[in-house]
């Protein structure tokens, strides 16, 4: 008798191991930013580049929430319930950045009303291959790490939080730390 092939993704008979299942991996691939200059070459002004980086990050962020929850479940990591923006900021800084970039950041400078905070990123994997044009050739600042702002916006939209993010300080521009300011604008309803 001929053996019948099982289509990819379908279950195999009980008791046999399915070759179509991909075993889980704890390896997190490094983010390859080497092609980004090609993505950005058609933009003439730094503000256009910064906006494009934010849009690029936003499209990544909307997909990361599901992946974050799937990976956390797969790795048996307990993601605490976020009841306020402070809890959300802690999960973002301590778990999200670590899971996807291999770094953590600090959360500080909460506003009195609890609707805004700063993320301090001491290691920035996106800045490794960046060469900025000389200071005298720039009218505005190019924020290559602006992609983080888009990722944060996109991810938080998926959990019904509309926020504004902006880079306040950037090591690439001579400052001692990367600081991202996040401000809650609206809690969205389903």
């Amino acid at each position: 008798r001929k053996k019948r092939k099982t289509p990819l993704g379908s279950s195999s008979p009980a008791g046999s191991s399915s070759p179509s299942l991909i075993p889980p991996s704890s390896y997190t691939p490094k983010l390859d930013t080497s092609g980004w200059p090609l993505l950005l070459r058609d933009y003439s002004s730094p503000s256009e580049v910064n906006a494009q980086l934010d849009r690029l990050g936003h499209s990544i962020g909307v997909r990361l929430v599901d992946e974050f929850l799937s990976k956390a479940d797969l790795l048996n990591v307990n993601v605490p319930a976020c009841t306020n923006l402070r809890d959300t900021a802690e999960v973002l800084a301590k778990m999200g950045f670590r899971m996807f970039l291999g770094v953590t950041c600090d959360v500080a400078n909460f506003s009195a009303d609890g609707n805004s905070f700063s993320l301090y990123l001491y290691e920035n994997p996106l800045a490794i291959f960046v060469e900025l044009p000389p200071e005298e050739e720039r009218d505005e600042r190019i924020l290559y790490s602006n992609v983080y702002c888009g990722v944060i916006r996109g991810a938080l939209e998926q959990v019904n939080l509309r926020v504004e993010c902006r880079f306040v300080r950037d090591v690439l521009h001579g400052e001692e730390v990367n600081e991202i300011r996040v401000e809650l604008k609206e809690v969205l309803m389903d």
Side-chain angles (χ1 to χ4, degrees), residues 79-93:
V79 179
C82 298
T83 58
N84 56 36
L85 191 61
R86 186 175 298 269
D87 295 344
T88 305
E90 288 295 327
V91 169
L92 177 69

Side-chain angles (χ1 to χ4, degrees), residues 46 131-142 144 172-173:
E131 289 182 32
L132 294 175
E135 190 81 34
E136 60 274 1
E137 293 178 20
R138 292 183 267 153
D139 294 334
E140 299 176 62
R141 290 171 53 152
I142 296 175
Y144 281 96
L172 287 172
H173 294 283

Side-chain angles (χ1 to χ4, degrees), residues 109-136:
N109 292 342
F110 269 91
S111 61
D113 62 3
N115 285 336
S116 63
F117 61 90
S118 289
L119 293 171
Y120 293 96
L121 188 62
Y122 300 100
E123 298 174 62
N124 184 353
L126 298 183
I128 295 171
F129 302 106
V130 173
E131 289 182 32
L132 294 175
E135 190 81 34
E136 60 274 1

Side-chain angles (χ1 to χ4, degrees), residues 34-53:
S34 60
W36 286 19
L38 300 175
L39 292 170
L40 303 172
R41 70 174 176 219
D42 294 333
Y43 297 96
S44 59
S45 77
S47 60
E48 288 176 338
V49 170
N50 293 338
Q52 179 63 17
L53 286 166

